Amino acid sequence: MLLGIAGLLVATALFLWQGVTPVLGAFAAAGIGILWASLFHFVSMALNAWAWQVLLPARRRASVAFFLWAVWLRESVNGLLPVARIGGEVASARVLMRHGMRAPKAVASLVLDMTASLVSQAAFTLLGLALLLAHGAGGDVAGDVALGLIATVPLFAALVLAQRAGFFGMLARLFRLLFGDRFDALVGGAVPLDRAVRRLYRRRAALAACFLWQLAGWVAGAGEVWLALVYLGHPVGFADAVIVEAMIQALSSGAFVVPGALGIQEGGFLVMGGVIGLTPELSLALALARRARDVIVFVPALAIWQLGLGRRARQPRDLAQRTPRVR
């Protein structure tokens, strides 16, 4: 929460530094276009839902619409709540289990989906880096991003190897010390979870498909930037939109401990907007459009989720009131 407050202060300082009135004026010029650019996010969420679904055997899969709801909820919780980008995973795993999927299988699919997301994001960042270098600008930024990617390669390799070697079983004692019985209740036990993870890793074609759909989802996210700039009155090439989206997503992931990447995201838009030729006012208006996207797309999912939790919480009480007492 302290990091979130600090990030909010940084974001506010950036707007004050560039002038609130010009930024709001540039943002208001988009009008209803901000809504259409925000709703385009459902395209990337649908691709991510498809990526998650293909990990599971066809005969046991839920519909793409169901996985779209799980992805929507996951992104909404991670995007708007101070949960260090892990609370959304817990919420979406519970959604799968309430749908009837066994806990080890639900969590295992989520673990592999998250791993594929990390690897595909690295590939997307590499694409943005290549386009940035081709753009002939942002040399310092490109160097920093390249160093970050090089540093993550052994981490990704270690993560995959650990998962295949029985990562959760090895850490079961630590998990129980930290979370008590809640960990086993959520995942159905460390040993069954490791077994489910190894089974999914054997489905290599499904893993490859998941990676490709995830990568397509990252690229589709650049469509939001492209559309927002069209409505803001400053259209750019799609390659420029990919550069901005790739760098912003890399920054936001790196700043996962800051709720909503407050301040970090705004600074990133300011820097990357300058790289592709946007004025500071237009760059911060684009950052506002991204925050508007979070409200437009994510708040309804949180509202639906809370209403569903409220109904389930009332059901045992209502059942108890309807049950006649035997004397």
Side-chain angles (χ1 to χ4, degrees), residues 267-279:
F269 273 111
L270 196 58
V271 172
M272 298 313 303
V275 169
I276 65 171
L278 303 182
T279 64

Side-chain angles (χ1 to χ4, degrees), residues 173-210:
R173 183 174 298 178
L174 175 60
F175 286 151
R176 291 189 183 101
L177 286 175
L178 292 173
F179 307 112
D181 294 336
R182 288 177 296 173
F183 176 74
D184 286 336
L186 175 63
V187 305
V191 174
L193 175 56
D194 278 328
R195 194 179 301 122
V197 167
R198 284 194 291 268
R199 276 199 296 264
L200 289 181
Y201 264 116
R202 295 190 195 106
R203 306 186 70 247
R204 295 180 181 178
L207 280 171
C210 178

